[in-house]
Amino acid sequence: NILIIGSLGQLGSEIALECRRRYGSDHVVLADIRDDVNKELIGGGPFYKVDARDGKTINEIVKKHTIDTIYHLAALLSARAEQNPLAAWDLNMNGLIATLEVAKENHCAVFTPSSIGAFGPTTPKQFTPQDTIQRPTSIYGVTKVAGELLCDYYHHAYDVDTRGVRYPGIISNMTPPGGGTTDYAVEIYYEAVRKEHYTCFLRGDTYLDMIYMPDAVEAAIQIMEADPSRLRHRNAFNIASMSFCPEEQAAYIRTVIPGFTISYEVDPVKQAIADSWPNCLEDYAARVEWDWNPTYNLETMTLDMIETILRRTP
Ligand code: VAH
């Protein structure tokens, strides 16, 4: 059975939905600090309102539902974290260690997402290697590197089956972005449909790795189903699927919405975070060790995003 902590967030909601689709609602237990949003999106099945740092309650849930796999998806993302570094450290680290302690006691496997945010300005920006220097300059990145090291520690010291991927910016047609630096790449599609214009908070030539939610969810499930004897890495695997800048994304949107225009009001904090991150990762380790192979690209994602938003627009 699976427990998803942070199951109402941007990534958590969609992993919850897909896991319930694949494994059945009763085998997928959801938990989130909030209980007000989009629960109907995920349908029935066990749900607990719980703070990710509350190891005691999480331990009770794990024992009650004989959980064998925990998806730990509760965190403050980069832009929001930068506004409140101590809250980000508290949630991102004390939430994670609570899960790792519960996993150690109950022999659960743990999935924890890392991010391209785990790299910094001294990391090679083009085809960023799987094993390279990681000195992020955002507090979010600090918690991601610390999280990777903590998960590897629990694996080597206590044999906890911890695994993770370094996510690019995630683009979803179902759940709103969660306060990240890459949120522009989601908002732009909704604004393109709503008013054929988007004012972007990053410079038009800012390249970042991005991934469409269906591929992001597939990675989270595929890595946890992988044969552990093949894994030479664990926390966390580079995964890549597309790298683009706002200008490029706007050009693809114009192939569907010819009148679409983009303008720029650069947010200096978000731009500084984006400039400290790589432009594109290399993900050979994920491809070799657990057959990672994304399906969407900027063209097919743009078509799917706009068609989905149009279908929903009254
Ligand atoms: C953020 N969407 O912007 C997240 C992600 C690669 C970025 O970690 O913080």
Side-chain angles (χ1 to χ4, degrees), residues 10 77-79 114-117 140 167-170 179-183 209 277:
Q10 180 198 20
L77 296 186
S78 58
S114 181
S115 160
I116 57 172
Y140 173 75
Y167 274 119
I170 296 176
T181 302
T182 58
D183 291 358
D209 279 287
W277 290 351

Side-chain angles (χ1 to χ4, degrees), residues 219-242:
I221 294 174
Q222 203 176 332
I223 188 172
M224 296 314 281
E225 291 184 345
D227 171 358
S229 68
R230 292 177 62 191
L231 302 181
R232 273 185 298 295
H233 296 84
R234 280 179 170 272
N235 303 281
F237 285 89
N238 284 4
I239 57 169
S241 85
M242 52 187 112

Side-chain angles (χ1 to χ4, degrees), residues 44-222:
F47 175 87
Y48 293 87
K49 181 176 172 27
V50 68
D51 186 315
R53 297 161 294 187
D54 177 359
K56 184 174 171 303
T57 305
I58 292 167
N59 198 31
E60 289 160 8
I61 296 169
V62 164
K63 290 185 182 334
K64 179 181 174 190
H65 293 273
T66 53
I67 299 294
D68 54 58
T69 302
I70 302 174
Y71 279 86
H72 185 82
L73 303 172
L76 284 189
L77 296 186
S78 58
R80 277 184 62 198
E82 214 54 35
Q83 292 163 354
N84 202 334
L86 295 182
W89 177 266
D90 181 20
L91 171 58
N92 295 11
M93 300 318 298
N94 292 325
L96 177 56
I97 206 153
T99 286
L100 289 169
E101 278 296 296
V102 168
K104 173 178 143 195
E105 181 178 326
N106 298 280
H107 309 293
C108 303
V110 179
F111 174 85
T112 310
S114 181
S115 160
I116 57 172
F119 298 116
T122 54
T123 304
K125 283 194 178 305
Q126 295 296 111
F127 300 111
T128 304
Q130 173 64 45
D131 301 306
T132 185
I133 189 163
Q134 294 180 252
R135 296 193 66 79
T137 47
S138 69
I139 184 65
Y140 173 75
V142 168
T143 68
K144 286 296 149 184
V145 173
E148 289 188 11
L149 297 174
L150 200 55
C151 291
D152 274 352
Y153 176 81
Y154 270 75
H155 177 62
H156 293 305
Y158 309 119
D159 202 24
V160 177
D161 183 0
T162 56
R163 309 178 192 189
V165 298
R166 290 170 186 149
Y167 274 119
I170 296 176
I171 295 165
S172 162
N173 64 32
M174 196 187 311
T175 48
T181 302
T182 58
D183 291 358
Y184 87 86
V186 182
E187 295 162 358
I188 191 170
Y189 287 118
Y190 288 91
E191 295 294 279
V193 169
R194 198 166 66 85
K195 59 181 192 178
E196 297 205 358
H197 178 79
Y198 180 61
T199 304
C200 185
F201 59 71
L202 292 183
R203 269 199 334 266
D205 63 350
T206 306
Y207 276 86
L208 289 169
D209 279 287
M210 299 286 181
I211 187 169
Y212 198 28
M213 184 61 86
D215 283 331
V217 171
E218 185 57 35
I221 294 174
Q222 203 176 332

